[in-house]
Amino acid sequence: MPVPVDHDLTERAVRVIDRSGWGTSAAYPQIRTVILTWVCPVCHGPRGIPKSHRFHEDGHWLTCDRWDNPCGHLDLYTAVLAEAREPHPAGPRP
C-alpha cells in the first residue's frame, strides 16, 4: 500500500462538518476541529492527506477538510466525530 507524501504525522487536526444540531436551536451546520490518530480505523493503513474544501450551504460559505484514504476505505464525518470523542489510548489530548 503506497504511503502518501507528508505522512510522517501520527495525529492530525482536521476540520469536519457537524450536522448533529439539525432541528435544534444550535448553529447548523458547524465546522469542528478534531484531532485524529492518522490511520484508517478499518485496516490501520495510512489516511490520506487532508485538503481544504470550500462549499456553500444554507446561505453560508464554509471550509472543511477532505481526504481520500489510499486503502479506499471512507471516513464519514459522523464516524470521524465519534472517533474524536473516544478516549485517546495514550491518555487525554492536550
Side-chain angles (χ1 to χ4, degrees):
M1 180 180 322
V3 176
V5 175
D6 189 33
H7 198 274
D8 55 346
L9 300 175
T10 56
E11 289 186 337
R12 288 187 188 262
V14 290
R15 300 162 295 175
V16 298
I17 304 166
D18 183 356
R19 291 188 169 101
S20 64
W22 189 83
T24 69
S25 60
Y28 175 82
Q30 293 186 349
I31 302 297
R32 301 220 185 267
T33 299
V34 296
I35 298 173
L36 299 174
T37 302
W38 210 246
V39 295
C40 173
V42 177
C43 69
H44 304 288
R47 281 181 160 138
I49 302 299
K51 295 177 179 75
S52 287
H53 173 67
R54 189 165 186 243
F55 63 101
H56 188 265
E57 186 166 324
D58 254 0
H60 300 281
W61 283 100
L62 304 166
T63 303
C64 67
D65 293 311
R66 296 176 72 171
W67 58 91
D68 292 318
N69 294 332
C71 59
H73 293 117
L74 298 177
D75 279 324
L76 300 178
Y77 289 135
T78 53
V80 166
L81 288 164
E83 179 184 338
R85 287 190 294 268
E86 292 176 4
H88 191 270
R93 291 184 173 110

